[in-house]
Amino acid sequence: MTSIDTLLTDHLDLWTSAIARKSSAGRGRSKKFSLYGIDKLRALILDLAVRGKLVPQDPEDEPASELLKRWKSAKKLALENTKDRRIRSAPEPASFSVNLPTHWLTQSFENIFLFIDYRGNTPPKTDSGIPLITAKNVRMGYLDREPQEFVSESTFENWMTRGFPDLGDLFFTTEAPLGNICLNDIEEPFAIAQRLICFNPYGKVNTRFYMLVIMSDVMQRIIDQNSTGMTASGIKAAKLKPIALPVPPEAEQYRIVAKVDELMALCDRLEVGTFDEIEAHQLLVAELLAALTTNRDDGVADNWARIEAHFDTLFTTEDSVEQLRQTILQLAMVGRLVRQDPKDEPASELLKRIKVDWLRQVSERGMRGAKVPTFLARDVENYSYPETWKLVPLGQLSLVADPNPSHRYPDYNGGTIPLLSTQEFSGEDGWDHSTAKLTTEAFWQFQQEICAFDEGDIIFARKGRLGLPRFLPPFDRYTFSHTLFVIKPMSGVDPNYLLWFLRRRQTVDWLTNEMNQNTGVPTLGKAKTERLPVPLPPLGEQKRIVAKIEKLMDLCDALKSRLGQIDENAVQFADAIVAKAVA
């Protein structure tokens, strides 16, 4: 076995368990996360290939110097047969950036490839005709025919005057994105557009080998170091041409390509198998948790006990923990998380006092003529809850205040008071006002006259990023962006109960459906927010529900923290193994 085979088989569990919790998209598969270990393994395979450590050397191979002679002759012939100024004699390149086997040589890009460069103006496009290949089509390692763009036949004839790519040539993106590389596998006529260079080899060149070289982290770093630009990095052909490329013996190049293909196929199988396993696991968790919310009341306790007995094996991904959180909230809001107590005062009696408080606050705030919010019949279809509960519009259980109803532009001149928006939201509960804009005393006074803020008030995002509820920030004074509502619970409504209700996925979905989609940024209106149906338990049950939710959420946090530590350890271990392998 070679060293890479041993690395792969000895640490198989590591490569498939090291998961990065960030969104990424793989070829043909949409991911909510990436398999960091397998991604790292793929990079290691290419890194070893470009360093000459992937396959054993064979002293019987024809020396790389003979290959260079053939390329030199092919380029000389091209120089003699053309007046193309792009073909020129070039000096020998500097050494490669990493140590190479002693029998490997180096050569510059421009001594191996003719650059067919169509960067500049974009050709006029048509709805059909000759396909146009752009930088959008060049992915890392493969050519994607989507998105499809076309040029007319006359444009094609006038445009493709600098040379036409051959099968097996390399396409390279010079910016946006920088450094993507793939083989040309298109047989029919096509045009190529800006931000794209075609590497057309002099003589017989193993372009698959050089595609792998350019894909490697080693070469990507070199390309990045030679790039320029502030907003979007790009590399000029003049900077690219003198860069040195490794030149192994030709036979060794083919062995390297075959070995890379073999190992990458194994990585693909590992990835598919791991994702299938994760997806099957998530489906199992979803089915088990769904049973909690759909079974009759007398089955919830038994099902929960079964799930609780297998926490360590069920909740092994962040997605499964999030599903658990949402199931807890759904059970809470339909009266299945804690038992009802017949001694509790019914919610109907509690609601009478809430209405008195609502009328008092409306009067004190000068909201004359304010109508009691109600919901529509369709708002409460298929909504079940215990007999001692009531279903009440949010606008009767709280005052929904818009701190900036006229969208008045804040005065920042000489301001000292932080203006809070969703940009200052931190995590699930927190605030970070370090980057907040500063508004004036006058603007603060303006918002205070509209709505005096009290402890227990809830902030709710109404524009763009919907929801993300949290309590008022622990600052002395602040003002609010027009992107936020302030929800002020009435006495008799536990603010923590209302906060957890607003964090429930079904609540956010309901409000999302009510957003105005005709504006530039989808926005939730105040009247529609007030219509939101809220299940109101007796006050004593509200407090028991909050206590139970907080206890279970602490458990979810502990599960997530443990998963994060496991992931971090696996990622660090994968990094350490790779670093040792290429040292």
Side-chain angles (χ1 to χ4, degrees):
M1 277 191 177
T2 65
S3 57
I4 184 65
D5 293 316
T6 304
L7 273 173
L8 198 154
T9 55
D10 286 356
H11 304 287
L12 192 58
D13 289 344
L14 173 66
W15 307 125
T16 57
S17 64
I19 297 175
R21 305 291 172 179
K22 64 195 296 187
S23 296
S24 64
R27 184 177 182 180
R29 180 185 289 267
S30 176
K31 307 177 189 177
K32 293 181 180 178
F33 46 80
S34 66
L35 294 180
Y36 181 89
I38 293 180
D39 290 344
K40 199 72 177 177
L41 183 58
R42 287 193 178 104
L44 172 62
I45 292 166
L46 295 178
D47 211 0
L48 293 175
V50 79
R51 294 169 185 265
K53 296 183 177 183
L54 190 65
V55 299
Q57 279 77 48
D58 186 344
E60 299 298 322
D61 286 342
E62 177 190 64
S65 57
E66 296 299 314
L67 184 58
L68 288 181
K69 290 178 184 178
R70 291 196 291 274
W71 290 350
K72 187 175 183 179
S73 297
K75 182 173 182 179
K76 182 180 178 182
L77 183 62
L79 276 167
E80 293 172 351
N81 294 335
T82 185
K83 295 180 180 180
D84 194 333
R85 293 181 180 180
R86 293 169 300 155
I87 304 178
R88 59 173 189 164
S89 298
E92 295 298 316
S95 61
F96 199 53
S97 63
V98 298
N99 292 329
L100 299 174
T102 55
H103 68 293
W104 285 29
L105 300 176
T106 61
Q107 192 53 269
S108 64
F109 263 101
E110 65 179 328
N111 278 338
I112 303 176
F113 300 103
L114 168 67
F115 282 40
I116 302 177
D117 185 357
Y118 280 86
R119 289 180 302 164
N121 296 329
T122 303
K125 300 170 186 176
T126 56
D127 293 333
S128 61
I130 305 294
L132 177 69
I133 302 302
T134 73
K136 298 175 185 177
N137 302 111
V138 178
R139 307 303 175 90
M140 191 60 86
Y142 68 100
L143 185 65
D144 190 346
R145 298 300 293 270
E146 296 291 338
Q148 293 186 23
E149 295 183 272
F150 303 92
V151 297
S152 67
E153 290 191 13
S154 59
T155 297
F156 170 74
E157 292 174 0
N158 295 327
W159 181 259
M160 296 297 290
T161 57
R162 301 182 189 177
F164 189 82
D166 295 321
L167 278 174
D169 284 2
L170 294 173
F171 292 145
F172 176 83
T173 58
T174 57
E175 62 177 311
L178 171 63
N180 278 5
I181 186 79
C182 73
L183 288 167
N184 172 32
D185 58 5
I186 307 174
E187 297 184 5
E188 69 269 21
F190 64 92
I192 57 178
Q194 75 284 2
R195 307 201 319 271
L196 196 63
I197 294 177
C198 172
F199 298 145
N200 179 247
Y202 295 115
K204 183 182 178 184
V205 175
N206 187 340
T207 51
R208 274 190 50 76
F209 172 77
Y210 283 102
M211 180 183 73
L212 299 178
V213 169
I214 296 168
M215 287 173 62
S216 71
D217 286 348
V218 173
M219 277 302 303
Q220 289 290 313
R221 283 194 296 271
I222 295 171
I223 291 166
D224 191 59
Q225 289 164 5
N226 284 276
S227 66
T228 56
M230 297 293 291
T231 305
S233 295
I235 189 167
K236 296 179 179 178
K239 283 279 190 178
L240 195 60
K241 287 180 178 180
I243 292 175
L245 295 173
V247 183
E250 187 175 32
E252 188 173 345
Q253 292 182 29
Y254 282 97
R255 291 198 299 274
I256 289 171
V257 170
K259 189 64 177 179
V260 169
D261 287 346
E262 174 193 333
L263 294 172
M264 291 298 183
L266 178 56
C267 288
D268 289 344
R269 291 197 297 273
L270 286 174
E271 183 177 56
V272 169
T274 305
F275 273 114
D276 287 345
E277 182 180 338
I278 291 172
E279 289 170 358
H281 169 268
Q282 291 175 342
L283 180 61
L284 171 63
V285 170
E287 292 292 334
L288 290 172
L289 293 177
L292 286 174
T293 57
T294 56
N295 278 2
R296 297 173 304 171
D297 290 354
D298 56 3
V300 172
D302 290 341
N303 280 332
W304 177 257
R306 294 188 188 98
I307 290 173
E308 201 170 20
H310 299 285
F311 259 36
D312 290 343
T313 54
L314 284 175
F315 302 106
T316 57
T317 66
E318 286 191 2
D319 186 76
S320 62
V321 174
E322 180 57 28
Q323 288 185 60
L324 177 60
R325 287 183 190 274
Q326 288 299 323
T327 300
I328 291 167
L329 294 182
Q330 178 62 2
L331 288 172
M333 301 308 157
V334 295
R336 294 182 180 180
L337 192 63
V338 300
R339 294 186 181 278
Q340 280 73 52
D341 187 341
K343 297 179 182 179
D344 285 338
E345 176 190 56
S348 56
E349 294 300 314
L350 175 62
L351 186 58
K352 293 177 183 178
R353 294 199 303 277
I354 290 174
K355 287 182 177 179
V356 171
D357 187 36
W358 188 89
L359 292 170
R360 177 185 62 80
Q361 292 212 38
V362 166
S363 176
E364 289 177 355
R365 296 175 187 277
M367 300 167 62
R368 295 179 180 178
K371 295 182 179 180
V372 178
T374 58
F375 41 59
L376 306 177
R378 63 180 171 83
D379 295 336
V380 296
E381 290 176 353
N382 303 318
Y383 212 120
S384 61
Y385 47 90
E387 290 182 1
T388 55
W389 292 28
K390 293 288 287 184
L391 197 61
V392 189
L394 176 65
Q396 289 187 28
L397 301 179
S398 66
L399 291 180
V400 179
D402 186 347
N404 196 359
S406 61
H407 293 184
R408 171 177 165 181
Y409 191 75
D411 182 6
Y412 300 119
N413 187 22
T416 59
I417 302 171
L419 175 75
L420 301 181
S421 66
T422 54
Q423 293 181 354
E424 282 68 57
F425 285 9
S426 175
E428 186 179 52
D429 302 293
W431 297 82
D432 179 5
H433 69 295
S434 60
T435 59
K437 295 180 180 179
L438 300 178
T439 54
T440 61
E441 183 88 16
F443 188 72
W444 176 79
Q445 187 63 43
F446 161 74
Q447 289 198 334
Q448 286 293 309
E449 291 173 1
I450 294 173
C451 179
F453 307 122
D454 302 305
E455 184 178 354
D457 289 356
I458 297 169
I459 308 305
F460 193 87
R462 61 185 288 256
K463 190 170 185 177
R465 301 173 67 194
L466 180 66
L468 310 172
R470 62 206 59 218
F471 286 124
L472 288 174
F475 314 146
D476 292 336
R477 293 195 300 175
Y478 33 79
T479 56
F480 289 105
S481 160
H482 67 280
T483 61
L484 304 177
F485 278 143
V486 178
I487 298 173
K488 304 175 71 63
M490 298 290 106
S491 60
V493 180
D494 188 315
N496 287 286
Y497 172 80
L498 192 55
L499 180 72
W500 286 117
F501 171 75
L502 292 170
R503 286 180 174 167
R504 190 184 64 137
R505 181 180 295 131
Q506 289 87 344
T507 301
V508 176
D509 289 345
W510 190 96
L511 291 169
T512 299
N513 289 332
E514 297 298 321
M515 294 181 79
N516 182 0
Q517 303 293 334
N518 295 324
T519 55
V521 179
T523 304
L524 181 63
K526 180 172 177 289
K528 291 181 178 179
T529 306
E530 292 174 331
R531 237 181 59 218
L532 171 69
V534 181
L536 179 68
L539 184 57
E541 190 171 347
Q542 291 180 42
K543 296 186 179 301
R544 293 195 301 274
I545 288 172
V546 168
K548 186 68 171 180
I549 288 175
E550 290 178 349
K551 179 181 178 181
L552 294 173
M553 290 302 172
D554 285 344
L555 173 62
C556 291
D557 290 340
L559 286 170
K560 185 176 179 180
S561 177
R562 187 186 67 178
L563 290 174
Q565 188 59 52
I566 291 172
D567 288 343
E568 183 179 350
N569 291 341
V571 166
Q572 290 176 352
F573 191 24
D575 286 343
I577 290 175
V578 168
K580 183 177 179 180
V582 298

